[in-house]
Amino acid sequence: MLKLEAHDVDSMAPERKKQLEVQDIGKTHASLLAQAMLDAPGPLREMITESITSMTTDDLVSMAKNRTATHVLQRALTCSGQTKLFLRQTVQRFQGHLSELAVDPIASHVVDTLWTATEGLFFIRERFAQELLEYESALKESFSGRAVWRNWMMDLYKRRRLEWISQAKSSANGVNDSESRGVVNYDATNKSGIELAREKYAANKAKRK
């Protein structure tokens, strides 16, 4: 449904640019349709999830970086009632690519959704955290990487591993990355478990100073 293509827009003729603008509008509509299908459990959702699972890992990584298609991937990983089979099969394919995705302004949001997608799959969640830790320097050199580092509570993982494990096992909700990226678009009175855990950690850290 969504084609992943890259174009050198700056070198194109005005007519070609207009054609691409029309195509972009079409891709946006296709993305919104696919997201709506994912919100409908049953055959419609299965059409999208089967398409995703049939992708190569390289195509999946490209999808995560695509400014239109990435929203479909994020919705597929976080929609209510998504099957554990799909989540297990899909999220594991990002192993070995987390550092590349975390520093990408678009794909970094997919890394954030992997927290939600690994609910009940702690062994994968911990494996991902270890991979992020291995690329700490690269992540901290990037705005997107620093946001991922905070959202995955990597300072806690690095310094107090047992406490991170306890939080990671008990968290029933995913990461909301809007605050760390400077965007306020959620109800502060309806915070997720992981958000409350981060606030508690920050408060305790402030007390020790």
Side-chain angles (χ1 to χ4, degrees), residues 133 138 161 200:
L133 180 62
R161 185 73 53 88
K200 182 179 178 181

Side-chain angles (χ1 to χ4, degrees), residues 88-175:
R88 188 182 299 107
Q89 291 178 337
T90 304
V91 300
Q92 290 189 98
R93 296 167 66 190
F94 289 108
Q95 186 173 356
H97 300 277
L98 292 187
S99 62
E100 172 188 355
L101 297 176
V103 299
D104 184 276
I106 295 173
S108 58
H109 294 281
V110 174
V111 182
D112 289 327
T113 64
L114 290 176
W115 180 278
T116 302
T118 54
E119 170 64 29
L121 300 171
F122 174 74
F123 69 101
I124 299 178
R125 182 177 283 182
E126 186 176 30
R127 191 188 306 161
F128 282 175
Q130 183 59 37
E131 183 173 338
L132 292 173
L133 180 62
E134 292 172 2
Y135 292 93
E136 177 181 3
S137 297
L139 266 61
K140 289 187 173 180
E141 291 176 359
S142 159
F143 175 82
S144 300
R146 289 193 295 272
V148 169
W149 184 269
R150 288 192 297 270
N151 289 334
W152 274 74
M153 300 187 297
M154 290 304 299
D155 283 331
L156 186 64
Y157 178 82
K158 180 180 178 180
R159 296 166 183 166
R160 297 201 300 280
R161 185 73 53 88
L162 292 179
E163 186 174 341
W164 183 92
I165 290 174
S166 176
Q167 297 287 355
K169 285 184 175 180
S170 63
S171 297
N173 296 301
V175 174

Side-chain angles (χ1 to χ4, degrees), residues 38-54:
L38 286 165
D39 287 335
L44 291 178
R45 175 181 291 180
E46 290 172 3
M47 287 177 60
I48 305 301
T49 56
E50 287 175 3
S51 176
I52 292 174
T53 54
S54 67

